[in-house]
Amino acid sequence: MYISLKSILIGILCFLFLPSLSAQLRQQYILDKDWEFRLDKADTAWEKVSIPHTWNAQDGTTPKYFRGVGEYRYLLYISPEMLKKRAFLRFEAVSQVAEVSVNGQNIGTHRGGFNAFCFEITDRLKKGSNLIEVKVSNSEEEYIAPLEGDFTVFGGIYRPVSLLLLPEVCITPLDFASSGIYIRQKTNSERSHLSIQTKVDSGGKKTNSKLIVRTSLFDAKDELVGRQSTQESADEENALSFINTFDVEDPILWDGRKSPHLYRVFVEIMKGNTVLDTLSQYTGLRYCSIDAQKGFLLNGKSYKIKGVNRHQDRIDKGWAISREDQLQDMEIIKEIGANGIRLAHYPHADFFYSLCDREGMLVWAEIPLVGKARSDAASEENIKLQLKELIRQKFNHPSIFCWSLFNELSRGDVKALVEELNDLAHAEDPDRYTVAAANIENRPENKVTDIMAYNTYPGWYWGEPSTMRSSLGHWNRLVGEKGIAVSEYGAGANVWHHWQSDRKVPKADGIFHPEEWQAIVHEENYQAIASSPFVWGSFVWNMFDFASASRMEGDMPGMNDKGLVTYDRKIKKDAFYYYQSLWSEAPVVHITSKRDIARNNSVTRIKVYSNCDHLVLKVNGKDCGAPVKNDNIYIWENVTLKKGENEINVSGDRNQVKQADRCKWIVL
């Protein structure tokens, strides 16, 4: 059968166009439609699927979700014209072992569920129909991280697959499936020094002495800033390496949410005056540091990270999400007013890092070394591979300020492994911090990385929410008072669970997870974080509810309900609006407990989150007077409701923009 292919231009952002020459020299075909799939079980028939795809979209929130083998096949039509190019098959991610064959011949195996991989298939293709087969396994493997974790490991080809048709001499796609271009910078407010390395695959021909790499730098208006060329190269990992350098005077800085200015680096491979290959990458010029007293500094100015954690899965889709899904996630994160994102607990889609570049989000990027590590050679080599792939594939994203090496390691002597990972990260990228997230004090590996962060849950797994303040001071002392971040904190909440007067701490592993308690935990936790100058950043756990198949709590089996937004992205919990009132410039007025419609008592407390002035609360048209204010929390005590239906209205204004909220409660 004939499979039509959808051609797109290569670019780090799908919405930015490259010069037309790129379309002539290299093409990228997204292989998304008309795949066939079956589980590797007896009597399982082939079914038509589209990529991205996971076989756990429906059972990923059940304890016995399928972890095993699935098979994919695709019939690829190749024209005679296409055979004139070199052909590469690139998978952005497969969970978590992929064995790939073309026309019955094995072309390679990749182990690891989150990074891209690329194989050359030039010699395997023929004119007409070509059969691509991919055998995929998400079975638990003792040597592939994550070895454990509080999240579902969805199986399948859950990110895009591409056919790349490139010139014989090309910017290599085979350097750990990276772009083949690496942009390093040394930047301050007056000058930025750029060193741009390009790795070229000459197709085995001895043409390196005649090759020229010309690199051009354009600003966000696509105006030429500078251009450099070099013929000098060095052999490096089966490729020729060329370096061009620039000094940019008075650079326009990538300045976080305020001004995320992106430059475009355009690389051309030339032989004489003939252009052989081209590729663009985007970068932002910025510098950051962490000071024990001043906290996080972006471009020399204080910039406390107000962050959230994100898992990538969604209801009825698992990890097989679309670009539209990712755009929606970003819009919700922007809406809350965050300026940083911890992409936990693994590498996320390249498109999402590109969104972070464009939107000015600082990113904590992470490998899936979660909970448990093994000291055998196979396990250590695999996690090193995953780290190297992450760094090379995401190297050019200005949003990334650190590489995270582990999360909550709790068993065994793994300091030596973490030291090796730390050395590897610095060798691959000398310009970014290494970081880790710990939850057990005094473990040896906690002192390895450049900076340190801690996962702590006062008010949920232990203690009262108010103990966050003393906990922060304790963790900071453990690192020699160098400053810390809070990489996780929060509490669970089911939006249909409520209480009206009780303040007893609910059981974290229990059925009842009232939305009101989650809000209290975040209020008291974040007040401690915001008032502690040595805390350079914090990341709410979690932005969205996510699948965790082993959990049975909160009346939502298979779900971690600590999100500020529900799994389907449809309901923002009260705690969402608490942060929005603190972080967002937009006017916010939100009545808490609006979903708790049935009221037991006629006398109640009303709590509102707002960043507005002149708040007025009216119940059944009657002004309730002045509230008690604590930061952006407004409380009216002892408000009297009437029997039956009551209408609650609150209004205020911010910068002369009026904002209001309303709800109805019924006294039984």
Side-chain angles (χ1 to χ4, degrees):
M1 61 181 171
Y2 176 81
I3 303 299
S4 63
L5 302 178
K6 179 175 64 178
S7 179
I8 65 170
L9 301 178
I10 288 182
I12 195 168
L13 300 178
C14 66
F15 39 78
L16 295 173
F17 294 96
L18 308 185
S20 60
L21 184 62
S22 292
Q24 301 168 13
L25 297 175
R26 54 166 54 206
Q27 294 88 42
Q28 178 179 357
Y29 297 90
I30 302 298
L31 311 182
D32 55 354
K33 306 295 185 184
D34 297 311
W35 285 78
E36 291 185 316
F37 165 77
R38 69 179 181 187
L39 289 176
D40 188 16
K41 294 180 175 180
D43 302 321
T44 302
W46 291 96
E47 60 177 304
K48 286 285 184 69
V49 299
S50 296
I51 303 298
H53 175 265
T54 176
W55 58 72
N56 298 122
Q58 303 303 319
D59 71 350
T61 55
T62 61
K64 295 183 179 180
Y65 72 100
F66 181 74
R67 297 196 69 173
V69 175
E71 296 177 298
Y72 294 84
R73 65 187 185 189
Y74 182 86
L75 206 56
L76 173 65
Y77 179 81
I78 296 293
S79 69
E81 193 67 23
M82 296 166 79
L83 288 173
K84 296 177 182 179
K85 297 279 191 177
R86 294 176 67 184
F88 301 84
L89 201 56
R90 188 180 192 273
F91 296 80
E92 191 176 335
V94 177
S95 179
Q96 58 183 350
V97 178
E99 300 176 12
V100 184
S101 298
V102 176
N103 294 326
Q105 295 180 295
N106 180 269
I107 62 167
T109 300
H110 183 262
R111 296 174 175 87
F114 307 101
N115 290 317
F117 56 96
C118 186
F119 301 124
E120 182 164 11
I121 59 172
T122 306
D123 296 337
R124 300 290 190 266
L125 295 179
K126 57 183 175 63
K127 184 178 69 173
S129 296
N130 294 262
L131 180 62
I132 298 172
E133 296 173 288
V134 189
K135 189 174 183 179
V136 179
S137 172
N138 71 332
S139 300
E140 294 184 69
E141 299 283 356
E142 285 298 313
Y143 63 94
I144 300 176
L147 302 181
E148 63 181 32
D150 184 17
F151 54 93
T152 299
V153 178
F154 293 86
I157 305 178
Y158 70 92
R159 290 188 193 149
V161 182
S162 301
L163 173 69
L164 307 179
L165 296 181
L166 306 184
E168 187 168 31
V169 177
C170 60
I171 301 167
T172 183
L174 296 177
D175 191 41
F176 295 90
S178 72
S179 68
I181 298 171
Y182 300 92
I183 306 167
R184 288 190 62 187
Q185 60 171 294
K186 295 290 185 182
T187 297
N188 57 42
S189 58
E190 291 82 29
R191 175 181 297 176
S192 183
H193 177 75
L194 295 179
S195 176
I196 301 168
Q197 180 186 28
T198 303
K199 294 187 177 183
V200 177
D201 188 330
S202 63
K205 291 192 174 182
K206 297 181 180 180
T207 57
N208 58 307
S209 61
K210 300 177 183 178
L211 292 179
I212 300 170
V213 172
R214 182 167 66 187
T215 305
S216 304
L217 183 68
F218 297 87
D219 64 18
K221 296 180 180 179
D222 219 31
E223 295 180 355
L224 182 66
V225 176
R227 176 172 286 147
Q228 295 289 334
S229 298
T230 184
Q231 284 184 275
E232 298 181 6
S233 66
D235 289 317
E236 183 173 315
E237 296 185 15
N238 300 318
L240 302 171
S241 177
F242 297 78
I243 295 177
N244 285 319
T245 60
F246 292 87
D247 284 312
V248 182
E249 302 295 332
D250 299 318
I252 303 172
L253 298 179
W254 185 92
D255 204 19
R257 296 285 295 125
K258 178 182 177 183
S259 178
H261 185 277
L262 293 175
Y263 287 83
R264 180 168 67 92
V265 173
F266 181 56
V267 177
E268 300 166 280
I269 310 301
M270 306 175 68
K271 187 175 181 181
N273 293 323
T274 302
V275 178
L276 305 178
D277 191 19
T278 68
L279 186 60
S280 282
Q281 292 285 284
Y282 293 83
T283 190
L285 307 182
R286 85 291 182 271
Y287 57 104
C288 58
S289 60
I290 294 174
D291 183 89
Q293 282 74 43
K294 298 178 181 179
F296 193 93
L297 302 174
L298 178 63
N299 301 325
K301 299 177 182 178
S302 178
Y303 198 86
K304 193 161 187 170
I305 298 176
K306 304 167 185 176
V308 296
N309 283 272
R310 174 186 182 256
H311 268 291
Q312 65 186 353
D313 58 302
R314 281 185 170 235
I315 190 170
D316 296 329
K317 291 186 176 182
W319 289 346
I321 59 175
S322 67
R323 290 195 170 197
E324 289 72 24
D325 294 330
Q326 297 179 71
L327 285 165
Q328 185 188 31
D329 279 5
M330 177 58 73
E331 288 305 308
I332 295 172
I333 293 170
K334 286 166 55 182
E335 182 183 348
I336 204 175
N339 62 15
I341 308 174
R342 179 185 179 215
L343 294 178
H345 286 303
Y346 40 75
H348 289 226
D350 193 71
F351 179 67
F352 199 82
Y353 293 91
S354 296
L355 288 179
C356 292
D357 296 340
R358 188 186 74 178
E359 300 294 350
M361 294 288 179
L362 285 164
V363 169
W364 164 315
E366 190 160 289
I367 56 173
L369 189 58
V370 181
K372 177 182 177 182
R374 289 172 59 92
S375 57
D376 59 278
S379 298
E380 291 184 356
E381 287 308 308
N382 182 262
I383 196 60
K384 290 176 188 175
L385 172 65
Q386 292 197 54
L387 176 60
K388 182 177 285 190
E389 289 173 333
L390 169 65
I391 294 175
R392 296 207 183 184
Q393 291 170 24
K394 316 302 183 190
F395 193 91
N396 297 331
H397 290 291
S399 54
I400 297 174
F401 73 94
C402 65
W403 306 113
S404 180
L405 303 186
F406 68 82
N407 176 75
E408 294 188 0
L409 291 180
S410 58
R411 297 190 297 279
D413 183 4
V414 295
K415 182 183 179 184
L417 171 60
V418 174
E419 287 175 335
E420 291 183 38
L421 292 171
N422 196 57
D423 291 342
L424 175 61
H426 287 141
E428 289 289 321
D429 181 4
D431 303 321
R432 286 185 175 94
Y433 288 109
T434 57
V435 71
N439 68 337
I440 300 176
E441 60 186 73
N442 297 323
R443 284 189 60 83
E445 66 270 13
N446 293 356
K447 297 184 177 181
V448 173
T449 55
D450 300 329
I451 52 178
M452 200 63 204
Y454 295 93
N455 302 340
T456 185
Y457 289 89
W460 190 243
Y461 291 124
W462 61 276
E464 287 284 335
S466 60
T467 54
M468 173 63 90
R469 189 175 304 277
S470 59
S471 177
L472 293 174
H474 175 70
W475 284 110
N476 190 38
R477 286 189 292 275
L478 290 177
V479 297
E481 300 191 353
K482 295 189 299 183
I484 60 167
V486 184
S487 37
E488 294 179 22
Y489 67 102
N494 184 325
V495 295
W496 308 116
H497 291 182
H498 300 281
W499 61 25
Q500 295 170 17
S501 59
D502 199 353
R503 193 191 151 90
K504 183 180 178 182
V505 179
K507 292 182 178 180
D509 59 354
I511 296 297
F512 186 56
H513 284 183
E515 187 177 5
E516 287 75 15
W517 184 252
Q518 182 193 50
I520 289 170
V521 168
H522 280 288
E523 291 168 11
E524 298 189 25
N525 279 191
Y526 192 72
Q527 285 174 352
I529 290 168
S531 61
S532 300
F534 58 85
V535 178
W536 51 262
S538 58
F539 301 86
V540 174
W541 190 266
N542 196 287
M543 188 68 228
F544 308 103
D545 290 346
F546 61 93
S548 180
S550 62
R551 283 183 176 255
M552 297 294 291
E553 61 191 43
D555 204 27
M556 292 193 292
M559 188 66 54
N560 188 315
D561 63 357
K562 296 188 188 70
L564 302 180
V565 181
T566 54
Y567 197 33
D568 58 10
R569 275 60 169 176
K570 290 183 178 180
I571 300 177
K572 300 176 178 73
K573 304 177 187 180
D574 283 344
F576 175 96
Y577 296 98
Y578 170 66
Y579 286 104
Q580 188 186 35
S581 74
L582 292 171
W583 294 349
S584 175
E585 293 298 320
V588 176
V589 173
H590 175 76
I591 302 168
T592 66
S593 302
K594 285 194 294 186
R595 280 175 286 276
D596 190 13
I597 297 172
R599 295 275 151 170
N600 299 321
N601 301 311
S602 59
V603 178
T604 189
R605 151 193 288 205
I606 297 178
K607 181 167 67 174
V608 172
Y609 297 138
S610 182
N611 56 9
C612 292
D613 299 318
H614 313 113
L615 280 192
V616 175
L617 173 70
K618 292 184 178 181
V619 174
N620 300 321
K622 181 179 179 181
D623 192 321
C624 294
V628 175
K629 182 178 185 294
N630 179 8
D631 288 338
N632 286 12
I633 307 167
Y634 295 80
I635 294 177
W636 286 262
E637 297 281 6
N638 300 318
V639 177
T640 300
L641 305 176
K642 67 181 181 179
K643 189 94 171 166
E645 185 174 280
N646 294 261
E647 186 160 333
I648 293 89
N649 290 274
V650 63
S651 62
D653 63 84
R654 180 177 174 86
N655 299 324
Q656 298 183 329
V657 177
K658 292 185 178 180
Q659 188 74 8
D661 194 18
R662 62 187 295 271
C663 68
K664 290 184 178 180
W665 289 339
I666 299 173
V667 177
L668 302 175

